[in-house]
Amino acid sequence: MSEPSLLDEAAVARAAEARSSFGKRALVLAEAASTNDRARELAREGAPEGTLVVARRQTGGKGRLGRSWASPEGGLYLSLLLRPDEAMLHRAPLTLLGGLAASEALDAAGRVATSLKWPNDVLLSGKKIAGILAELTKEKGENVVVLGVGMNVDTPLDAFPKDVRKIATSLRAEKGSPVSLEETLRLFLGLLEGHYHTVRDGGGALVLSRAADRMPMLGTRVRVRLPDRTLEGKATGLNATGALVLEVDGGKREVVFAGDVEEVRPA
Ligand code: BTN
């Protein structure tokens, strides 16, 4: 198969052409330690909402819970700078919006059917194909969110470290043919901007229900690892803020805002 496709400034500009703000200003790098860290620096310099940082590869890609994110060439590694007000922050988790847009963009780019695993994983064939890392800080009293998204689009599987190959996949690997990074980025920016504006304009419930429709874990028995305890029960749905609702043994309702979730298979 051919070498993986690579993004340059012209391709990123084309991908953002139809957008109102997402990706209109973009920093396109051959390499970054972490695009989230570069976006954070730009935020400190006053960069506006919608500023995008994209890198062809990362040397210190960050995942959730202090994990690393393998970032060889062929993947889409991006961070979007968002400046949501307080109300927006409580309507729907930006992590979920990013996951929904990534899942939909991958489906359209590769004609596949990915699913979402709450709170931040996109899966295909039971393996991870994308992940989201949203980092929130306050700057001069205002919320700044760096929404980092890693999508394994055109990544050859053998470019991943051996341990990652067991748990991750890419569109290229699933389809057996190259997939365009520019097209995937174009789809993603359009979908994310649409969802962000829908939530901002009061349509959070609609976006959350679209996310929930992509979560096969809802209705099944799950185990959630929290920093201080582990819960087990039926995942019944998402609440109005995007938190996971569990019905634990004895019928008690628990609402989980963050945690590692795994399915519990019947013995
Ligand atoms: C996870 O699933 O644990 C989240 C992975 C997030 C990876 C992306 S790649 C672009 C951005 N820059 C980073 O350092 N991390 C995010």
Side-chain angles (χ1 to χ4, degrees):
M1 223 188 293
S2 58
E3 292 292 304
S5 65
L6 296 173
L7 287 172
D8 58 18
E9 274 180 25
V12 172
R14 283 193 299 273
E17 206 162 24
R19 305 282 49 89
S20 58
S21 69
F22 284 20
K24 285 298 205 193
R25 289 181 190 224
L27 177 63
V28 184
L29 302 165
E31 183 175 290
S34 156
T35 55
N36 269 28
D37 293 348
R38 279 303 273 124
R40 173 74 48 209
E41 287 166 16
L42 295 182
R44 276 191 220 113
E45 292 161 16
E49 176 157 278
T51 300
L52 174 69
V53 179
V54 188
R56 289 181 176 180
R57 55 182 180 274
Q58 297 182 115
T59 52
K62 301 188 293 183
R64 268 177 79 236
L65 308 172
R67 295 172 189 145
S68 62
W69 182 258
S71 310
E73 281 185 354
L76 194 48
Y77 313 111
L78 65 90
S79 300
L80 259 179
L81 179 56
L82 302 171
R83 297 181 177 279
D85 62 18
E86 211 51 34
M88 173 79 192
L89 262 194
H90 294 107
R91 281 190 191 127
L94 292 169
T95 304
L96 218 56
L97 260 60
L100 174 61
S103 172
E104 292 171 328
L106 289 165
D107 284 6
R111 295 190 185 81
V112 292
T114 58
S115 62
L116 287 175
K117 181 174 164 236
W118 188 93
N120 79 319
D121 291 351
V122 184
L123 305 179
L124 182 61
S125 309
K127 292 182 167 181
K128 189 145 165 171
I129 192 162
I132 320 296
L133 176 67
E135 297 182 300
L136 165 71
T137 51
K138 288 256 184 208
E139 268 160 42
K140 296 185 188 131
E142 299 202 332
N143 298 317
V144 176
V145 173
V146 171
L147 185 66
V149 184
M151 287 185 255
N152 303 333
V153 177
D154 205 26
T155 330
L157 275 196
D158 59 10
F160 287 123
K162 268 207 179 99
D163 53 331
V164 175
R165 264 176 245 170
K166 292 183 207 140
I167 52 166
T169 190
S170 71
L171 273 188
R172 179 186 177 105
E174 294 291 320
K175 294 186 65 66
S177 56
V179 182
S180 161
L181 287 180
E182 178 183 330
E183 176 63 1
T184 311
L185 177 62
R186 188 186 67 75
L187 290 160
F188 173 78
L189 290 174
L191 287 157
L192 184 67
E193 193 176 73
H195 297 329
Y196 191 72
H197 290 167
T198 302
V199 173
R200 193 194 56 196
D201 300 341
L206 178 73
V207 174
L208 287 176
S209 86
R210 279 175 72 169
D213 285 348
R214 286 176 175 261
M215 292 183 181
M217 71 155 60
L218 296 181
T220 69
R221 195 167 171 79
V222 297
R223 190 173 297 127
V224 188
R225 288 181 209 288
L226 304 171
D228 55 338
R229 64 200 169 124
T230 298
L231 293 173
E232 205 173 300
K234 186 174 162 190
T236 55
L238 303 180
N239 77 3
T241 66
L244 183 67
V245 182
L246 285 190
E247 193 182 290
V248 294
D249 298 338
K252 194 169 164 243
R253 191 170 171 269
E254 294 268 3
V255 177
V256 180
F257 295 93
D260 254 356
V261 185
E262 61 182 7
E263 278 189 46
V264 181
R265 303 200 183 280

